[in-house]
Amino acid sequence: MKPIPLRDKTLLPIAEKVEAGQRLDADDGMALYRSRDLIGIGGMANRIRRQTYGDKAFFVYNQHINYTNVCSNMCSFCAYAEEEKSDKAYTWSIDQIRRRIVERIDEPIRELHIVGGLNRNLPFSYFTDMLTMIREVRPQAAVKAFTAVEIDYLATLSGKTLEETVLTLKDAGLMLMPGGGAEVMSDRVHDALFPKKIGKDRWLEVTEAVHRTGLKTNATMLYGHIETLEERVGHLLTLRDLQDRTGGFSAFIPLAFHSANTKLSHIPSTTAFDDLKTIAIARLLLDNIPHIKAYWVMIGEKLAQTALFFGADDLDGTIIEERITHTAGATSAKGLTRNTMEHMIRSAGLVPVERDSFYNDVTRPDKEA
Ligand code: V47
Ligand code: SF4
């Protein structure tokens, strides 16, 4: 195999480890973050992606449902959450959620991505009723719902243990869980930006309990606010440690911070350089998490396409109705058609694979949408 060309020769020992399939450590993570050799780092990550998936790049036909924006946590990086009495606050009834699903019933949607704020007025039965209704109305779609933050909250609401809560939701139709909620696992960042939300230890405890029930979850990292590079590397390695124990993570999604309409609106957007480097470093450090998503909603369609050569193998989904990042100023489209996603992948010289939530190939010959 040809050696990966590196402009920054100090990365040579890391490239050797990558080529030998050896695990990278925290010092390697910091050396990668400190290096300016984006192309060299991307080359290493791309080699891993290519060895694992060849020419394939994944996407899913999905629909987002954000059932309420009322949230008692009020994280300072969030533009989406509202106080209960705000005139922008909304909470959908089960019937309103049903209507949103039914109005797209003719589309071949494979996954419903459902998350919301912590709204003290919703009983536990709202969540089981939602899942039961969805299973009746949209039995072909997998329900990917609730972050570890919501699961922690639902366990309090239900008065059950974490495992019982998840098993009750699983019985009602929950099939996997999105990432989200851990932000950056650092007590310093937690206390400064999201003190009311569960911290690192509880997030890990909830996620481990979910994995014990057999449900897969994703993991994310919100970056580009006040976190340090050491905190980013620490976050990635903490996820890797948990994955060594449970094997329950399916994909990792770096989330670029958008500051508009938040209490942190003075913080500038992340740069393309940082976005691509973060995706590549995630691919290199997270040697046990199968998929790395380039979430086009956060970084834009064009950079997401480019990220397919920096370690990402998945562009997430068609989405249509994204609210959380667009409330915080994202300028990406609100949704993409299947044809657009396929075009993004094909015009990069890769082969689009429409997947279900479990990465089974569901590519169909009928491409009407
Ligand atoms: O948990 C909130 C983040 C997350 C902002 O698992 C913000 O497949 C940027 O987790 N700027 C929700 N990010 C999104 C999420 C996700 C998205 C796509 C796919 C998957 C998956 C998961 O968004 C929140 C929080 O970390 N967030 N506010 C903001 N202003
Ligand atoms: Fe609530 Fe999530 Fe927004 Fe935090 S990020 S305020 S938990 S909706």
Side-chain angles (χ1 to χ4, degrees):
M1 211 184 303
K2 270 210 271 171
I4 296 154
L6 292 174
R7 195 164 48 82
D8 178 355
K9 301 297 176 212
T10 67
L11 296 182
L12 265 171
I14 297 179
E16 280 164 17
K17 277 190 179 177
V18 170
E19 278 170 40
Q22 281 169 16
R23 180 160 266 199
L24 304 186
D25 60 21
D27 289 340
D28 298 326
M30 287 310 297
L32 290 164
Y33 258 123
R34 289 201 178 110
S35 170
R36 313 303 295 166
D37 189 358
L38 175 63
I39 299 301
I41 297 167
M44 291 187 248
N46 190 43
R47 176 160 294 179
I48 294 175
R49 187 197 64 76
R50 205 165 263 289
Q51 276 166 355
T52 320
Y53 301 110
D55 283 344
K56 291 181 184 169
F58 300 94
F59 73 97
V60 61
Y61 201 126
N62 66 350
Q63 177 176 11
H64 276 208
I65 293 182
N66 298 128
Y67 54 91
T68 182
N69 64 352
V70 175
C71 187
S72 50
N73 275 346
M74 286 295 172
C75 308
S76 52
F77 57 78
C78 180
Y80 173 71
E82 295 289 340
E83 307 267 10
E84 201 183 323
K85 43 192 182 311
S86 152
D87 52 11
K88 287 191 255 158
Y90 73 87
T91 300
W92 292 338
S93 65
I94 302 297
D95 249 4
Q96 286 171 312
I97 299 173
R98 182 201 307 270
R99 240 176 287 144
R100 287 192 146 75
I101 294 172
V102 168
E103 73 195 12
R104 296 186 57 197
I105 206 72
D106 294 332
E107 294 178 49
I109 289 167
R110 290 278 173 178
E111 177 178 280
L112 296 170
H113 176 133
I114 305 173
V115 289
L118 307 188
N119 181 344
R120 310 238 168 254
N121 296 319
L122 295 174
F124 186 64
S125 57
Y126 172 88
F127 298 90
T128 47
D129 289 350
M130 182 199 306
L131 293 166
T132 308
M133 176 277 289
I134 292 171
R135 195 151 55 178
E136 279 164 26
V137 175
R138 208 17 143 174
Q140 322 81 341
V143 179
K144 180 180 81 178
F146 316 131
T147 64
V149 177
E150 288 162 284
I151 295 294
D152 166 73
Y153 179 67
L154 293 182
T156 318
L157 267 187
S158 67
K160 299 172 195 275
T161 65
L162 273 176
E163 246 122 339
E164 286 165 355
T165 307
V166 177
L167 288 171
T168 308
L169 296 167
K170 197 175 164 188
D171 258 9
L174 180 66
M175 292 168 83
L176 71 160
M177 273 173 49
E183 316 315 350
V184 174
M185 288 190 267
S186 141
D187 293 339
R188 184 190 72 86
V189 178
H190 175 260
D191 295 351
L193 300 190
F194 50 102
K196 288 197 190 165
K197 179 137 93 185
I198 59 168
K200 168 187 174 183
D201 293 343
R202 181 65 175 165
W203 189 91
L204 291 168
E205 190 185 343
V206 173
T207 304
E208 188 155 2
V210 173
H211 290 175
R212 269 200 304 274
T213 69
L215 288 185
K216 294 273 183 192
T217 73
N218 291 336
T220 57
M221 175 174 75
L222 182 70
Y223 67 97
H225 41 89
I226 62 161
E227 85 290 357
T228 62
L229 297 181
E230 284 83 357
E231 285 164 339
R232 290 189 194 183
V233 170
H235 180 95
L236 295 171
L237 296 188
T238 304
L239 291 175
R240 188 172 78 181
D241 285 348
L242 180 56
Q243 179 75 340
D244 278 344
R245 290 204 300 281
T246 68
F249 289 121
S250 173
F252 174 75
I253 309 113
L255 300 175
F257 176 52
H258 284 65
S259 68
N261 306 316
T262 74
K263 294 190 183 108
L264 306 172
S265 56
H266 57 284
I267 296 183
S269 303
T270 60
T271 61
F273 194 88
D274 193 17
D275 294 335
L276 291 176
K277 206 153 66 84
T278 298
I279 283 172
I281 293 172
R283 178 62 294 162
L284 291 166
L285 291 185
L286 298 177
D287 53 15
N288 53 2
I289 298 188
H291 299 282
I292 305 288
K293 285 191 195 179
Y295 188 38
W296 60 265
V297 170
M298 299 269 177
I299 59 173
E301 298 89 310
K302 291 184 180 183
L303 199 62
Q305 183 195 40
T306 312
L308 295 174
F309 296 94
F310 286 77
D313 60 278
D314 186 348
L315 291 180
D316 194 68
T318 49
I319 300 178
I320 309 298
E321 256 195 300
E322 203 283 332
R323 286 163 190 264
I324 298 172
T325 325
H326 284 93
T327 323
T331 53
S332 54
K334 290 216 165 161
L336 298 176
T337 64
R338 183 161 60 183
N339 283 347
T340 308
M341 299 216 77
E342 286 179 340
H343 176 64
M344 278 163 71
I345 295 170
R346 211 170 266 129
S347 63
L350 299 173
V351 177
V353 175
E354 185 180 342
R355 62 168 178 86
D356 65 12
S357 297
F358 308 98
Y359 287 86
N360 297 306
D361 183 343
V362 294
T363 307
R364 283 160 293 192
D366 59 310
K367 296 191 185 77
E368 74 291 347

